[in-house]
Short mmCIF file of all heavy atoms in Angstrom, two decimals:
data_model
loop_
_atom_site.label_atom_id
_atom_site.label_comp_id
_atom_site.label_asym_id
_atom_site.label_seq_id
_atom_site.Cartn_x
_atom_site.Cartn_y
_atom_site.Cartn_z
N MET A 1 152.42 70.27 93.30
CA MET A 1 151.32 71.14 92.78
C MET A 1 150.86 70.55 91.56
O MET A 1 151.44 70.00 90.72
CB MET A 1 151.90 72.57 92.49
CG MET A 1 150.85 73.62 92.35
SD MET A 1 151.60 75.31 91.96
CE MET A 1 151.07 75.47 90.40
N ALA A 2 149.31 70.57 91.50
CA ALA A 2 148.68 70.11 90.22
C ALA A 2 148.98 70.90 89.10
O ALA A 2 148.80 72.04 89.23
CB ALA A 2 147.23 69.90 90.61
N VAL A 3 149.24 70.33 87.89
CA VAL A 3 149.56 71.07 86.76
C VAL A 3 148.65 70.58 85.73
O VAL A 3 148.45 69.32 85.47
CB VAL A 3 151.08 70.93 86.33
CG1 VAL A 3 151.19 71.50 85.03
CG2 VAL A 3 151.95 71.40 87.31
N PRO A 4 148.05 71.44 84.82
CA PRO A 4 147.16 70.92 83.80
C PRO A 4 147.87 70.10 82.79
O PRO A 4 148.90 70.44 82.37
CB PRO A 4 146.55 72.25 83.19
CG PRO A 4 146.80 73.29 84.17
CD PRO A 4 148.03 72.76 84.90
N LYS A 5 147.20 69.05 82.38
CA LYS A 5 147.93 68.15 81.45
C LYS A 5 147.87 68.65 80.02
O LYS A 5 148.77 68.61 79.26
CB LYS A 5 147.27 66.73 81.46
CG LYS A 5 148.05 65.67 80.72
CD LYS A 5 147.45 64.30 81.02
CE LYS A 5 148.37 63.21 80.59
NZ LYS A 5 147.95 61.87 81.08
N ARG A 6 146.74 69.36 79.63
CA ARG A 6 146.62 69.96 78.30
C ARG A 6 146.28 71.44 78.46
O ARG A 6 145.60 71.90 79.33
CB ARG A 6 145.50 69.23 77.65
CG ARG A 6 145.91 67.81 77.32
CD ARG A 6 144.84 67.12 76.31
NE ARG A 6 144.98 65.71 76.51
CZ ARG A 6 146.01 65.06 75.95
NH1 ARG A 6 146.95 65.69 75.34
NH2 ARG A 6 146.13 63.67 76.16
N LYS A 7 146.66 72.09 77.48
CA LYS A 7 146.24 73.46 77.30
C LYS A 7 144.83 73.63 77.10
O LYS A 7 144.30 72.75 76.27
CB LYS A 7 147.06 74.12 76.07
CG LYS A 7 146.61 75.51 75.86
CD LYS A 7 147.58 76.05 74.74
CE LYS A 7 147.15 77.51 74.40
NZ LYS A 7 148.06 78.05 73.44
N THR A 8 144.03 74.57 77.81
CA THR A 8 142.65 74.75 77.42
C THR A 8 142.46 75.30 76.06
O THR A 8 143.06 76.34 75.75
CB THR A 8 142.13 75.57 78.58
OG1 THR A 8 142.37 75.22 79.85
CG2 THR A 8 140.65 75.85 78.43
N SER A 9 141.70 74.76 75.30
CA SER A 9 141.56 75.06 73.99
C SER A 9 140.69 76.40 73.96
O SER A 9 140.16 76.74 74.91
CB SER A 9 140.70 74.13 73.19
OG SER A 9 139.25 74.03 73.57
N LYS A 10 140.83 77.18 72.87
CA LYS A 10 140.25 78.41 72.75
C LYS A 10 138.71 78.40 72.87
O LYS A 10 138.08 79.04 73.59
CB LYS A 10 140.52 79.13 71.31
CG LYS A 10 141.98 79.72 71.35
CD LYS A 10 142.14 80.11 69.93
CE LYS A 10 143.75 80.27 69.71
NZ LYS A 10 143.98 80.31 68.27
N ALA A 11 138.21 77.34 72.24
CA ALA A 11 136.63 76.94 72.29
C ALA A 11 136.31 76.79 73.76
O ALA A 11 135.26 77.38 74.21
CB ALA A 11 136.33 75.92 71.50
N ARG A 12 137.03 75.99 74.42
CA ARG A 12 136.74 75.66 75.89
C ARG A 12 136.83 76.90 76.74
O ARG A 12 135.91 77.23 77.45
CB ARG A 12 137.64 74.56 76.39
CG ARG A 12 137.03 73.72 77.53
CD ARG A 12 137.96 72.55 77.93
NE ARG A 12 137.35 72.00 79.07
CZ ARG A 12 136.45 71.09 79.13
NH1 ARG A 12 136.16 70.50 77.95
NH2 ARG A 12 136.13 70.50 80.24
N ARG A 13 138.02 77.59 76.56
CA ARG A 13 138.12 78.87 77.40
C ARG A 13 136.89 79.88 77.12
O ARG A 13 136.41 80.32 78.06
CB ARG A 13 139.43 79.41 77.04
CG ARG A 13 139.79 80.70 77.74
CD ARG A 13 140.81 81.51 76.89
NE ARG A 13 140.25 81.97 75.66
CZ ARG A 13 141.07 82.30 74.57
NH1 ARG A 13 142.34 82.18 74.66
NH2 ARG A 13 140.62 82.64 73.51
N ASP A 14 136.63 79.96 75.82
CA ASP A 14 135.68 81.06 75.54
C ASP A 14 134.27 80.68 75.94
O ASP A 14 133.46 81.55 76.30
CB ASP A 14 135.66 81.40 73.87
CG ASP A 14 136.98 82.03 73.61
OD1 ASP A 14 137.64 82.48 74.51
OD2 ASP A 14 137.25 82.14 72.46
N LYS A 15 134.02 79.40 75.81
CA LYS A 15 132.77 78.83 76.48
C LYS A 15 132.47 79.12 77.87
O LYS A 15 131.58 79.51 78.32
CB LYS A 15 132.55 77.36 76.10
CG LYS A 15 131.43 76.86 75.30
CD LYS A 15 131.32 75.39 75.09
CE LYS A 15 131.99 74.98 73.85
NZ LYS A 15 132.02 73.52 73.63
N ARG A 16 133.63 78.84 78.58
CA ARG A 16 133.62 79.18 79.98
C ARG A 16 133.28 80.54 80.21
O ARG A 16 132.36 80.96 81.14
CB ARG A 16 134.92 78.71 80.67
CG ARG A 16 134.98 78.70 82.12
CD ARG A 16 136.38 79.08 82.57
NE ARG A 16 137.35 78.06 81.98
CZ ARG A 16 138.61 78.40 81.75
NH1 ARG A 16 139.08 79.75 81.79
NH2 ARG A 16 139.34 77.53 81.25
N ARG A 17 133.97 81.55 79.59
CA ARG A 17 133.74 82.92 79.70
C ARG A 17 132.37 83.34 79.39
O ARG A 17 131.96 84.34 79.93
CB ARG A 17 134.87 83.62 79.05
CG ARG A 17 136.28 83.43 79.78
CD ARG A 17 137.22 84.16 79.12
NE ARG A 17 138.71 83.84 79.59
CZ ARG A 17 139.68 84.29 79.09
NH1 ARG A 17 139.83 84.97 78.09
NH2 ARG A 17 140.79 83.93 79.67
N ALA A 18 131.87 82.71 78.36
CA ALA A 18 130.53 83.21 77.85
C ALA A 18 129.34 82.80 78.90
O ALA A 18 128.35 83.50 78.67
CB ALA A 18 130.26 82.56 76.47
N SER A 19 129.68 82.02 79.71
CA SER A 19 128.48 81.47 80.48
C SER A 19 127.83 82.58 81.26
O SER A 19 126.53 82.51 81.44
CB SER A 19 128.99 80.37 81.49
OG SER A 19 129.92 80.97 82.40
N SER A 20 128.48 83.53 81.80
CA SER A 20 127.90 84.53 82.61
C SER A 20 127.40 85.74 81.76
O SER A 20 126.72 86.67 82.12
CB SER A 20 128.71 85.11 83.75
OG SER A 20 129.88 85.64 83.20
N TYR A 21 127.85 85.73 80.46
CA TYR A 21 127.62 86.90 79.67
C TYR A 21 126.06 86.99 79.21
O TYR A 21 125.58 85.99 78.47
CB TYR A 21 128.46 86.85 78.43
CG TYR A 21 128.25 88.07 77.34
CD1 TYR A 21 128.75 89.30 77.68
CD2 TYR A 21 127.63 87.81 76.15
CE1 TYR A 21 128.54 90.25 76.79
CE2 TYR A 21 127.39 88.74 75.18
CZ TYR A 21 127.85 90.13 75.70
OH TYR A 21 127.64 91.15 74.71
N ARG A 22 125.50 88.07 79.55
CA ARG A 22 124.08 88.33 79.17
C ARG A 22 123.10 87.41 79.68
O ARG A 22 122.01 87.22 79.13
CB ARG A 22 123.98 88.41 77.52
CG ARG A 22 124.33 89.90 77.02
CD ARG A 22 123.32 90.88 77.23
NE ARG A 22 123.71 92.17 77.08
CZ ARG A 22 123.25 93.29 77.34
NH1 ARG A 22 121.77 93.23 77.71
NH2 ARG A 22 123.66 94.36 77.39
N LEU A 23 123.48 86.53 80.59
CA LEU A 23 122.50 85.64 81.17
C LEU A 23 121.62 86.41 82.20
O LEU A 23 120.55 86.14 82.45
CB LEU A 23 123.24 84.51 81.94
CG LEU A 23 123.24 83.10 81.20
CD1 LEU A 23 123.95 82.08 82.04
CD2 LEU A 23 121.87 82.67 80.91
N ASN A 24 122.37 87.35 82.90
CA ASN A 24 121.76 88.23 83.91
C ASN A 24 121.02 89.17 83.22
O ASN A 24 121.45 90.21 82.61
CB ASN A 24 122.74 88.78 84.92
CG ASN A 24 123.66 87.68 85.39
OD1 ASN A 24 123.13 86.61 85.73
ND2 ASN A 24 125.03 88.01 85.31
N LYS A 25 119.62 89.16 83.25
CA LYS A 25 118.76 90.30 82.58
C LYS A 25 118.90 91.52 83.50
O LYS A 25 119.13 91.44 84.63
CB LYS A 25 117.30 89.77 82.76
CG LYS A 25 116.96 88.87 81.47
CD LYS A 25 115.48 88.71 81.51
CE LYS A 25 114.95 88.25 80.07
NZ LYS A 25 113.60 87.99 80.17
N ALA A 26 118.66 92.65 82.79
CA ALA A 26 118.79 93.92 83.46
C ALA A 26 117.69 93.96 84.57
O ALA A 26 116.64 93.67 84.47
CB ALA A 26 118.57 94.99 82.44
N THR A 27 118.15 94.45 85.82
CA THR A 27 117.22 94.54 86.78
C THR A 27 116.40 95.77 86.70
O THR A 27 116.78 96.84 86.28
CB THR A 27 118.08 94.67 88.10
OG1 THR A 27 119.09 93.82 88.10
CG2 THR A 27 117.12 94.52 89.46
N VAL A 28 115.09 95.61 87.00
CA VAL A 28 114.01 96.81 86.99
C VAL A 28 113.43 96.78 88.22
O VAL A 28 112.85 95.85 88.80
CB VAL A 28 113.09 96.42 85.73
CG1 VAL A 28 112.13 97.47 85.57
CG2 VAL A 28 113.92 96.28 84.35
N VAL A 29 113.13 98.05 88.63
CA VAL A 29 112.30 98.19 89.80
C VAL A 29 111.22 99.24 89.42
O VAL A 29 111.27 99.91 88.49
CB VAL A 29 113.16 98.84 90.97
CG1 VAL A 29 114.18 97.88 91.52
CG2 VAL A 29 113.83 100.08 90.64
N GLU A 30 110.25 99.26 90.37
CA GLU A 30 109.08 100.16 90.05
C GLU A 30 109.38 101.49 90.61
O GLU A 30 109.81 101.63 91.77
CB GLU A 30 107.84 99.59 90.72
CG GLU A 30 106.47 100.47 90.39
CD GLU A 30 105.42 100.01 91.23
OE1 GLU A 30 105.04 98.78 91.27
OE2 GLU A 30 104.80 100.84 91.93
N CYS A 31 109.17 102.64 89.83
CA CYS A 31 109.37 104.03 90.28
C CYS A 31 108.33 104.26 91.36
O CYS A 31 107.25 104.10 91.23
CB CYS A 31 109.20 104.91 89.23
SG CYS A 31 109.27 106.63 89.64
N PRO A 32 108.79 104.82 92.57
CA PRO A 32 107.77 105.20 93.56
C PRO A 32 106.93 106.39 93.26
O PRO A 32 105.88 106.53 93.85
CB PRO A 32 108.75 105.54 94.74
CG PRO A 32 109.96 105.69 94.27
CD PRO A 32 110.11 105.10 92.94
N GLN A 33 107.37 107.22 92.23
CA GLN A 33 106.62 108.32 91.82
C GLN A 33 105.53 108.01 90.80
O GLN A 33 104.40 108.41 91.05
CB GLN A 33 107.66 109.35 91.38
CG GLN A 33 107.12 110.70 91.05
CD GLN A 33 106.76 111.50 92.16
OE1 GLN A 33 107.20 111.30 93.26
NE2 GLN A 33 105.65 112.32 92.13
N CYS A 34 105.97 107.46 89.80
CA CYS A 34 104.86 107.08 88.74
C CYS A 34 104.64 105.71 88.44
O CYS A 34 103.79 105.42 87.55
CB CYS A 34 105.50 107.76 87.36
SG CYS A 34 107.00 107.11 86.76
N HIS A 35 105.34 104.83 89.28
CA HIS A 35 105.23 103.41 89.10
C HIS A 35 105.49 102.71 87.81
O HIS A 35 105.00 101.71 87.50
CB HIS A 35 103.69 103.06 89.53
CG HIS A 35 103.40 103.57 91.02
ND1 HIS A 35 103.84 103.07 92.19
CD2 HIS A 35 102.53 104.68 91.27
CE1 HIS A 35 103.41 103.82 93.12
NE2 HIS A 35 102.74 104.79 92.63
N GLU A 36 106.41 103.48 87.14
CA GLU A 36 106.78 102.90 85.82
C GLU A 36 108.09 102.04 86.10
O GLU A 36 108.80 102.28 87.18
CB GLU A 36 107.25 103.99 84.97
CG GLU A 36 106.02 104.65 84.28
CD GLU A 36 105.34 103.88 83.05
OE1 GLU A 36 106.13 103.24 82.25
OE2 GLU A 36 104.20 103.69 83.09
N PRO A 37 108.39 101.06 85.36
CA PRO A 37 109.57 100.18 85.60
C PRO A 37 110.86 101.21 85.21
O PRO A 37 110.91 101.83 84.27
CB PRO A 37 109.58 99.06 84.54
CG PRO A 37 108.40 99.48 83.68
CD PRO A 37 107.51 100.46 84.20
N LYS A 38 111.86 101.06 86.20
CA LYS A 38 113.00 101.88 85.98
C LYS A 38 114.17 101.03 86.45
O LYS A 38 114.05 100.05 87.19
CB LYS A 38 112.98 103.25 86.62
CG LYS A 38 113.06 103.23 88.08
CD LYS A 38 113.19 104.62 88.71
CE LYS A 38 113.71 104.62 90.05
NZ LYS A 38 115.13 104.18 90.11
N GLN A 39 115.49 101.48 86.04
CA GLN A 39 116.65 100.73 86.64
C GLN A 39 116.92 101.37 88.02
O GLN A 39 116.70 102.44 88.23
CB GLN A 39 117.82 101.21 85.69
CG GLN A 39 117.91 100.38 84.33
CD GLN A 39 119.07 100.72 83.59
OE1 GLN A 39 120.14 100.20 83.93
NE2 GLN A 39 119.05 101.64 82.62
N PRO A 40 117.28 100.36 88.87
CA PRO A 40 117.65 100.83 90.25
C PRO A 40 118.70 101.86 90.27
O PRO A 40 119.72 101.63 89.48
CB PRO A 40 117.92 99.59 91.04
CG PRO A 40 118.36 98.60 89.96
CD PRO A 40 117.54 99.00 88.60
N HIS A 41 118.77 102.68 91.24
CA HIS A 41 119.84 103.78 91.39
C HIS A 41 120.04 104.52 90.20
O HIS A 41 121.12 105.18 89.89
CB HIS A 41 121.14 103.09 91.75
CG HIS A 41 120.93 102.08 92.79
ND1 HIS A 41 121.25 100.73 92.77
CD2 HIS A 41 120.58 102.27 94.15
CE1 HIS A 41 120.96 100.19 93.91
NE2 HIS A 41 120.56 101.00 94.78
N ARG A 42 118.83 104.82 89.34
CA ARG A 42 119.00 105.69 88.17
C ARG A 42 117.78 106.70 88.28
O ARG A 42 116.78 106.25 88.80
CB ARG A 42 118.92 104.88 86.81
CG ARG A 42 120.01 103.95 86.63
CD ARG A 42 121.23 104.63 86.26
NE ARG A 42 122.31 103.61 85.87
CZ ARG A 42 123.07 102.86 86.72
NH1 ARG A 42 122.91 103.06 88.02
NH2 ARG A 42 123.93 102.06 86.24
N VAL A 43 117.92 107.78 87.63
CA VAL A 43 116.74 108.71 87.67
C VAL A 43 115.82 108.01 86.69
O VAL A 43 116.03 107.45 85.63
CB VAL A 43 117.23 110.05 86.83
CG1 VAL A 43 116.06 111.02 86.57
CG2 VAL A 43 118.30 110.69 87.93
N CYS A 44 114.50 108.12 87.14
CA CYS A 44 113.35 107.56 86.36
C CYS A 44 113.24 108.20 85.05
O CYS A 44 113.26 109.48 84.84
CB CYS A 44 112.04 107.76 87.09
SG CYS A 44 110.62 107.01 86.19
N ARG A 45 113.17 107.39 83.87
CA ARG A 45 113.09 108.02 82.55
C ARG A 45 111.83 108.64 82.23
O ARG A 45 111.69 109.39 81.29
CB ARG A 45 113.46 106.92 81.56
CG ARG A 45 114.78 106.18 81.76
CD ARG A 45 116.01 107.08 81.26
NE ARG A 45 115.93 107.07 79.78
CZ ARG A 45 116.63 108.06 79.08
NH1 ARG A 45 117.30 108.97 79.73
NH2 ARG A 45 116.61 108.06 77.78
N SER A 46 110.71 108.23 82.98
CA SER A 46 109.29 108.69 82.66
C SER A 46 109.02 109.90 83.38
O SER A 46 108.12 110.72 82.81
CB SER A 46 108.43 107.61 82.62
OG SER A 46 108.42 106.98 83.84
N CYS A 47 109.39 110.06 84.57
CA CYS A 47 109.09 111.21 85.47
C CYS A 47 110.18 111.99 85.76
O CYS A 47 110.01 113.16 86.45
CB CYS A 47 108.11 110.81 86.55
SG CYS A 47 108.95 109.85 87.93
N GLY A 48 111.46 111.60 85.67
CA GLY A 48 112.59 112.48 86.06
C GLY A 48 112.73 112.53 87.49
O GLY A 48 113.53 113.46 87.95
N TYR A 49 112.20 111.68 88.14
CA TYR A 49 112.39 111.75 89.71
C TYR A 49 113.45 110.76 90.22
O TYR A 49 113.74 109.82 89.71
CB TYR A 49 111.11 111.41 90.43
CG TYR A 49 110.12 112.64 90.74
CD1 TYR A 49 109.59 113.23 89.58
CD2 TYR A 49 109.90 113.08 91.93
CE1 TYR A 49 108.77 114.42 89.87
CE2 TYR A 49 109.16 114.19 92.21
CZ TYR A 49 108.56 114.79 91.18
OH TYR A 49 107.87 115.91 91.41
N TYR A 50 114.13 111.29 91.20
CA TYR A 50 115.14 110.41 91.97
C TYR A 50 115.17 110.96 93.37
O TYR A 50 115.25 112.10 93.64
CB TYR A 50 116.42 110.44 91.24
CG TYR A 50 117.37 109.37 91.86
CD1 TYR A 50 117.16 108.03 91.64
CD2 TYR A 50 118.48 109.88 92.68
CE1 TYR A 50 118.04 107.07 92.28
CE2 TYR A 50 119.35 108.83 93.30
CZ TYR A 50 119.06 107.50 92.93
OH TYR A 50 119.87 106.59 93.70
N LYS A 51 115.09 109.95 94.32
CA LYS A 51 115.10 110.33 95.79
C LYS A 51 114.00 111.35 96.08
O LYS A 51 114.19 112.27 96.81
CB LYS A 51 116.46 110.91 96.25
CG LYS A 51 117.55 109.80 96.22
CD LYS A 51 118.23 109.86 97.71
CE LYS A 51 119.10 108.57 97.86
NZ LYS A 51 120.02 108.71 98.92
N ASN A 52 112.77 111.02 95.57
CA ASN A 52 111.60 111.79 95.83
C ASN A 52 111.53 113.26 95.48
O ASN A 52 110.94 114.03 95.99
CB ASN A 52 111.29 111.54 97.35
CG ASN A 52 111.12 110.27 97.78
OD1 ASN A 52 110.47 109.43 97.11
ND2 ASN A 52 111.64 109.97 98.91
N ARG A 53 112.47 113.53 94.45
CA ARG A 53 112.39 114.90 93.97
C ARG A 53 112.79 114.90 92.40
O ARG A 53 113.36 114.01 92.11
CB ARG A 53 113.37 115.95 94.74
CG ARG A 53 114.71 115.54 94.58
CD ARG A 53 115.63 116.57 95.55
NE ARG A 53 117.04 116.24 95.20
CZ ARG A 53 117.68 117.00 94.28
NH1 ARG A 53 117.15 118.00 93.63
NH2 ARG A 53 118.91 116.59 94.13
N GLU A 54 112.30 116.00 91.75
CA GLU A 54 112.53 115.96 90.34
C GLU A 54 113.93 116.43 90.07
O GLU A 54 114.43 117.48 90.55
CB GLU A 54 111.61 116.87 89.57
CG GLU A 54 111.57 116.63 88.11
CD GLU A 54 110.46 117.56 87.50
OE1 GLU A 54 109.73 118.30 88.06
OE2 GLU A 54 110.39 117.49 86.23
N VAL A 55 114.65 115.65 89.43
CA VAL A 55 116.11 116.03 89.03
C VAL A 55 116.42 116.40 87.59
O VAL A 55 117.32 116.97 87.34
CB VAL A 55 117.13 114.96 89.69
CG1 VAL A 55 117.28 114.93 91.18
CG2 VAL A 55 116.81 113.63 89.18
N ILE A 56 115.57 115.72 86.78
CA ILE A 56 115.64 116.31 85.32
C ILE A 56 114.27 116.41 84.69
O ILE A 56 113.33 115.87 85.27
CB ILE A 56 116.28 115.00 84.44
CG1 ILE A 56 115.61 113.69 84.70
CG2 ILE A 56 117.77 114.91 84.71
CD1 ILE A 56 115.85 112.70 83.56
N ALA A 57 114.18 117.41 83.71
CA ALA A 57 112.95 117.82 83.29
C ALA A 57 112.54 116.77 82.07
O ALA A 57 113.43 116.50 81.31
CB ALA A 57 112.98 119.25 82.74
N VAL A 58 111.38 116.34 82.20
CA VAL A 58 110.81 115.37 81.17
C VAL A 58 109.66 115.97 80.47
O VAL A 58 108.90 116.48 81.02
CB VAL A 58 110.59 113.96 81.92
CG1 VAL A 58 109.96 113.12 80.82
CG2 VAL A 58 111.73 113.27 82.52
N GLU A 59 109.64 115.77 79.07
CA GLU A 59 108.63 116.39 78.26
C GLU A 59 107.25 115.75 78.58
O GLU A 59 107.13 114.57 78.68
CB GLU A 59 108.91 116.17 76.83
CG GLU A 59 110.20 116.78 76.35
CD GLU A 59 110.26 118.28 76.60
OE1 GLU A 59 109.34 119.04 76.02
OE2 GLU A 59 111.07 118.75 77.38
ZN1 ZN B 101 108.90 107.69 87.71
#
C-alpha cells in the first residue's frame, strides 16, 4: 500500500480545503410572480410568494 512520505503541512492542507470555499456564488433564480431575483427553493423576499401562492406577508 502506498504511504505518504511526508506529513502534509498545515498550509498545504488548509490550502486544499480552501479551494471550494466561497468559490461557488449563491445561486439566484427569477421569481415567477414578480420577476425579482430570489434564492431557489425559498420564499420570494420581495413578494412573499412560493409555489404560486402567498405564504408570507410583505410590506
Ligand atoms: Zn416574487
